[in-house]
């Protein structure tokens, strides 16, 4: 009778999402999420809605930050390597991107706005300094706690993230 218990435990373990730091980022998935040349995206693709109704291609990356920090973790640097590879891809090489930092809901609005901007700047700096990408391609900004990815748990670490959004010129 122990086999069903182990099977249940294994099934529960496999169904549990990976912690933020353990998630891996695939460069090809990033390219696909940010491309503007697919139907229904950007200005080069076929769109049914007005341009104002179509959000720009974007991806939320779980680029990990410790609580109250804007310093990139080892896991964050791994994610940024994949991001840099994607942004170097010829399908994205001529595009510009907004790098948007987010925080959890701990702290004041003013503090979180500043922290989220410092997080976006840390990612942009790594992309340019460590990976040689052109800084004119990036517009870092911070949104603080205004756009929580998990509003039911506003203090959750998953809210501390960086979003990459294609700028449609």
């Amino acid at each position: 009778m122990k086999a069903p218990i182990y099977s249940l435990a294994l099934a529960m373990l496999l169904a549990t999402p990976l912690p933020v730091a353990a998630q891996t980022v695939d460069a090809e998935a990033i390219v696909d999420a940010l491309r503007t040349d697919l139907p229904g995206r950007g200005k080069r693709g076929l769109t049914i809605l007005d341009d104002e109704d179509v959000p720009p291609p974007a991806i939320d990356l779980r680029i990990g930050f410790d609580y109250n920090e804007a310093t990139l973790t080892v896991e964050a640097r791994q994610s940024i390597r994949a991001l840099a590879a994607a942004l170097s891809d010829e399908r994205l090489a001529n595009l510009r991107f907004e790098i948007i930092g987010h925080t959890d809901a701990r702290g004041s609005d003013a503090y979180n706005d500043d922290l989220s901007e410092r997080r976006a700047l840390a990612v942009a700096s790594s992309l340019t300094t460590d990976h040689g990408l052109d800084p004119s391609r990036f517009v870092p900004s911070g949104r603080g706690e205004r756009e929580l990815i998990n509003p039911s748990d506003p203090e959750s670490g998953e809210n501390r993230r960086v979003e990459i959004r294609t700028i449609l010129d």
Side-chain angles (χ1 to χ4, degrees):
M1 286 309 260
K2 290 189 178 189
I5 293 172
Y6 292 128
S7 297
L8 176 61
L10 180 60
M12 289 174 58
L13 179 64
L14 293 174
T16 304
L18 292 173
V20 170
Q23 292 179 349
T24 59
V25 181
D26 175 65
E28 188 62 29
I30 295 171
V31 169
D32 288 344
L34 296 174
R35 289 175 62 185
T36 58
D37 60 341
L38 298 175
R41 292 205 186 153
K43 298 191 179 204
R44 290 184 237 158
L46 172 66
T47 58
I48 297 171
L49 302 171
D50 291 335
D51 282 345
E52 303 86 45
D53 296 332
V54 179
I59 188 168
D60 265 326
L61 297 178
R62 300 303 185 268
I63 296 178
F65 294 95
D66 291 330
Y67 171 69
N68 204 28
E69 293 291 331
T71 304
L72 298 170
T73 63
V74 171
E75 294 86 1
R77 290 188 183 283
Q78 292 171 342
S79 296
I80 291 173
R81 264 195 297 280
L83 176 60
L87 298 179
S88 298
D89 186 285
E90 66 183 20
R91 294 168 289 178
L92 300 179
N94 295 320
L95 297 174
R96 296 178 60 237
F97 301 93
E98 184 176 12
I99 300 174
I100 307 165
H102 299 274
T103 65
D104 60 29
R106 297 178 193 169
S108 71
D109 287 345
Y111 181 81
N112 284 336
D113 285 345
D114 177 67
L115 179 59
S116 63
E117 186 164 349
R118 287 188 287 128
R119 288 177 174 169
L121 287 166
V123 171
S125 177
S126 179
L127 289 169
T128 59
T129 304
D130 301 334
H131 300 281
L133 296 174
D134 181 356
S136 70
R137 294 180 64 199
F138 307 113
V139 178
S141 67
R143 299 276 165 77
E145 62 187 80
R146 289 186 295 280
E147 298 173 12
L148 298 173
I149 199 156
N150 184 358
S152 64
D153 187 2
E155 295 186 358
S156 170
E158 68 187 306
N159 292 311
R160 298 189 298 264
R161 69 194 194 283
V162 173
E163 177 184 358
I164 311 299
R165 186 177 296 166
T166 306
I167 296 173
L168 302 176
D169 292 324

